[in-house]
Amino acid sequence: MSKKESFIKGTLILAAAALVARLLGLVQRVPLEHIFGAVGNASYTVANNVYLMLLTVATAGIPSTLSKMVSERYALKRPGEANRVYKAALIFSVFIGIVITILLYVLAPVYANWTEQPEATPAIRAIAPALLLFPTIAMMRGYFQGRGKMTANGISQIMEQVLRVITGIGLAFFLLHASYSDEWVAAGASFGGVLGSISAFGIMLWYSIKLRREDRKLQLEDLSAGDEQIPLMRIYRDIFKLSIPIVLSSLAVPAINFIDSTLVKPLLIDQMGNLAATHTLGILGSRAQSIAGIPPILSIALSASLLPVIAAAFARGDRPHLERQITLAMRVSILTGMPIVIILCSAAYSLNGMLFSSLDGSGIIGLLTLGTIFQITMSITSSILIGMGKVNLSMGHVFVGILVKLIASFALAAVFGIYGIIGATGICFLIITLLNLRSMKQMVSFNIMRGRWTGFLLTVVILFGVGYGLNYVGDLTTSFMPPRIGFFLACCLVGAAVLALYPVMLVLLRVVRRDELDSYPRVLQKVLRPLMRLQRSTGTSAN
């Protein structure tokens, strides 16, 4: 297998594993929402968001940096140096895992009281031990990626989520029927993350032993043998120099969810009372954030396949190719994310009734999901900047966006309540996107839609109207059949109509054109190519 084929295969494995793992994580929240009461949902939300925030701080950026350092040294036939770097990373991961776990466990009641959700303390403490292993798991995954061994990473991600889902739901169900209070049921569900980390660590350890045996058989040439060992402090300096900006650039989404779970009750408790604020926080975390996590999955995965090409074109100084690839990456991310946003927003009421225990919070789900189109553009533009070597710019823009989020949350919550806090999230994503685009424009010329925004926006508006109308019609069926079946039919009706009409309208309104189709990812070509005959009647000129 050639290096290119191996890279493509590895990228597909990681993308597929990330997709499956993300979906499994979303699937977990539905049964848990039914098991928990208001206190349980709010407590689990607080615990999960602070955990993901700390996990990002502890791991994001370092594995990719480690991967780069390891692959470079193996390419130079210096496996001894690569293993020295890997061992240094493992030492750091053990240290940071212990420190963060202790801090989270000890400070859990302090943070829980700060969020006005003291019942979250057991759930936070239950998930804290997962941070012991996950930094080490992240380093192991970075090392395997640097060696081009992606299968271990993919399997460990999937098995981690499988065990987390099974044990989390199982423990919550057991504690519920053992008559434990809601806060301890949430703690049981949180502990599933610890068992998931043990599963992932076990798989990575098994693959590590297997890889070591293979290396011994191959007896790889080592040009670094006999050289003076690289000092640990020099290794850490190189790692942190590259990884810290990436860590900070990766904080946008976990930081925003962390801010929301921290501020929702303090900002709303005087407006609606403790019980209503607790219920609202539970809806935001267990329902809205779960549903809003769906649109970015496919679009970012499709666009991510273009990013190595962007980085390579930038390194070569091939500006025409760079312009084309940036345009394509932005266009693909928007075009693939938008129909999912339309479906989930227009069918938010039916989706809420189909999946969850009540119809409360449908507006919260719809509004938060609407803002994910800017989350998609923020993520892809940040990745492009990083691919162009402008990590510090991306980091600075994330800081500005988070500052805007904080200010807007306080300002808008006083007037619009929870909808103001959610609106502040959308504003944050939009600000980061605009700052990223401005920086990208200063370095390279590109045009996302090339004068086609009118056709695209017309498509979106029409399909939102179609979606809302079909959702209303579908909901009428709940008057003569079981409500969940009626809501399911309404969701199917909206989904089928939007997915069928969306590509047709893109072609008819010439948002997508025949002469550029070959540049699109293959899966989109298969969908769009049969529809291109619809453009014959309007001529063949592309521009």
Side-chain angles (χ1 to χ4, degrees):
M1 182 181 293
S2 69
K3 288 184 178 180
K4 181 179 179 181
E5 289 172 334
S6 178
F7 174 79
I8 293 173
K9 180 183 177 183
T11 301
L12 291 175
I13 289 172
L14 289 181
L19 181 63
V20 172
R22 184 73 176 270
L23 289 174
L24 285 172
L26 295 174
V27 166
Q28 181 190 32
R29 299 304 292 267
V30 175
L32 287 180
E33 193 275 338
H34 287 269
I35 292 173
F36 296 150
V39 170
N41 277 311
S43 298
Y44 187 83
T45 295
V46 170
N48 195 56
N49 285 342
V50 69
Y51 162 74
L52 291 176
M53 173 76 171
L54 290 175
L55 183 64
T56 302
V57 171
T59 63
I62 297 179
S64 59
T65 302
L66 176 62
S67 170
K68 179 177 181 291
M69 295 173 72
V70 168
S71 63
E72 286 176 349
R73 282 161 174 79
Y74 268 92
L76 296 172
K77 296 183 179 180
R78 304 179 73 87
E81 282 188 8
N83 289 330
R84 174 76 169 165
V85 171
Y86 181 38
K87 288 177 183 177
L90 289 178
I91 292 171
F92 171 77
S93 69
V94 172
F95 171 76
I96 196 69
I98 293 172
V99 170
I100 290 184
T101 299
I102 292 173
L103 286 175
L104 183 58
Y105 190 88
V106 171
L107 297 178
V110 177
Y111 175 69
N113 287 328
W114 189 28
T115 66
E116 302 286 350
Q117 188 64 31
E119 300 91 343
T121 299
I124 297 173
R125 285 180 162 171
I127 203 171
L131 291 170
L132 276 172
L133 290 178
F134 267 120
T136 300
I137 294 167
M139 302 310 166
M140 297 169 83
R141 287 172 176 168
Y143 177 76
F144 272 80
Q145 186 171 343
R147 295 290 305 274
K149 310 288 185 180
M150 314 297 197
T151 303
N153 295 2
I155 293 175
S156 69
Q157 285 184 45
I158 293 172
M159 291 308 299
E160 168 205 328
Q161 286 295 335
V162 167
L163 198 62
R164 179 182 181 179
V165 169
I166 293 173
T167 57
I169 295 173
L171 285 170
F173 189 77
F174 171 78
L175 292 171
L176 176 68
H177 287 273
S179 300
Y180 281 83
S181 65
D182 216 18
E183 61 187 280
W184 287 102
V185 175
S190 293
F191 192 71
V194 179
L195 299 176
S197 72
I198 294 172
S199 170
F201 180 74
I203 290 170
M204 294 306 300
L205 187 61
W206 184 82
Y207 272 101
S208 295
I209 295 171
K210 181 181 177 183
L211 182 59
R212 181 176 296 180
R213 289 173 180 168
E214 292 175 359
D215 287 346
R216 285 174 180 169
K217 289 180 181 179
L218 292 173
Q219 295 182 341
L220 298 173
E221 181 183 3
D222 188 1
L223 298 181
S224 65
D227 292 353
E228 183 179 351
Q229 286 191 335
I230 307 175
L232 285 178
M233 294 310 297
R234 178 182 162 191
I235 295 174
Y236 290 135
R237 184 190 64 203
D238 292 342
I239 289 176
F240 294 141
K241 182 180 179 180
L242 292 171
S243 64
I244 287 177
I246 297 176
V247 170
L248 298 176
S249 297
S250 304
L251 277 177
V253 175
I256 286 169
N257 289 338
F258 171 76
I259 289 169
D260 285 345
S261 60
T262 302
L263 294 182
V264 163
K265 286 193 67 176
L267 291 179
L268 299 183
I269 199 166
D270 290 337
Q271 294 183 22
M272 57 176 59
N274 182 64
L275 185 61
T278 301
H279 183 56
T280 300
L281 174 58
I283 288 174
L284 178 65
S286 63
R287 305 187 194 188
Q289 289 177 356
S290 299
I291 298 300
I294 296 174
I297 295 176
L298 179 60
S299 59
I300 293 176
L302 284 171
S303 301
S305 63
L306 300 170
L307 297 184
V309 181
I310 290 172
F314 183 77
R316 293 194 309 268
D318 187 350
R319 295 184 67 85
H321 188 59
L322 183 63
E323 293 173 9
R324 289 194 300 271
Q325 293 303 320
I326 289 177
T327 297
L328 182 60
M330 291 298 302
R331 193 177 300 170
V332 166
S333 64
I334 294 171
L335 293 182
T336 56
M338 200 68 234
I340 309 302
V341 171
I342 294 171
I343 292 169
L344 296 179
C345 288
S346 58
Y349 182 84
S350 297
L351 194 65
N352 194 20
M354 179 183 72
L355 294 178
F356 300 113
S357 58
S358 71
L359 288 166
D360 298 341
S362 299
I364 296 174
I365 294 172
L367 183 59
L368 188 65
T369 304
L370 181 63
T372 58
I373 191 62
F374 299 125
Q375 180 187 341
I376 291 169
T377 56
M378 175 201 71
S379 298
I380 197 66
T381 52
S382 294
S383 296
I384 290 172
L385 281 179
I386 292 172
M388 296 168 69
K390 304 300 180 182
V391 182
N392 289 335
L393 276 176
S394 175
M395 176 184 68
H397 298 164
V398 168
F399 271 137
V400 172
I402 290 175
L403 182 62
V404 169
K405 161 66 179 174
L406 283 169
I407 295 172
S409 292
F410 279 94
L412 297 177
V415 180
F416 302 106
I418 185 61
Y419 296 102
I421 295 173
I422 295 172
T425 298
I427 293 171
C428 168
F429 291 148
L430 177 59
I431 291 295
I432 297 174
T433 295
L434 293 175
L435 290 173
N436 288 344
L437 287 172
R438 186 190 66 175
S439 296
M440 290 160 58
K441 286 279 190 180
Q442 290 173 351
M443 291 181 284
V444 61
S445 175
F446 64 93
N447 194 321
I448 300 173
M449 289 291 183
R450 293 178 183 167
R452 308 173 207 184
W453 283 110
T454 301
F456 176 71
L457 293 176
L458 186 60
T459 298
V460 171
V461 171
I462 291 174
L463 290 184
F464 259 117
V466 171
Y468 277 116
L470 292 176
N471 181 69
Y472 177 78
V473 172
D475 288 346
L476 295 177
T477 62
T478 59
S479 61
F480 56 84
M481 65 173 61
R484 291 196 191 280
I485 295 178
F487 290 136
F488 172 74
L489 292 176
C491 291
C492 290
L493 190 62
V494 173
V498 172
L499 290 178
L501 292 174
Y502 183 73
V504 172
M505 293 194 64
L506 291 181
V507 172
L508 285 175
L509 295 176
R510 307 189 68 76
V511 178
V512 176
R513 299 174 183 177
R514 186 182 297 108
D515 62 340
E516 65 193 18
L517 195 59
D518 288 339
S519 64
Y520 282 27
R522 190 168 299 176
V523 63
L524 295 183
Q525 292 184 35
K526 290 181 179 179
V527 173
L528 295 170
R529 196 174 298 280
L531 300 175
M532 283 300 156
R533 67 190 68 178
L534 297 175
Q535 286 189 354
R536 290 176 181 171
S537 60
T538 58
T540 58
S541 62
N543 295 305

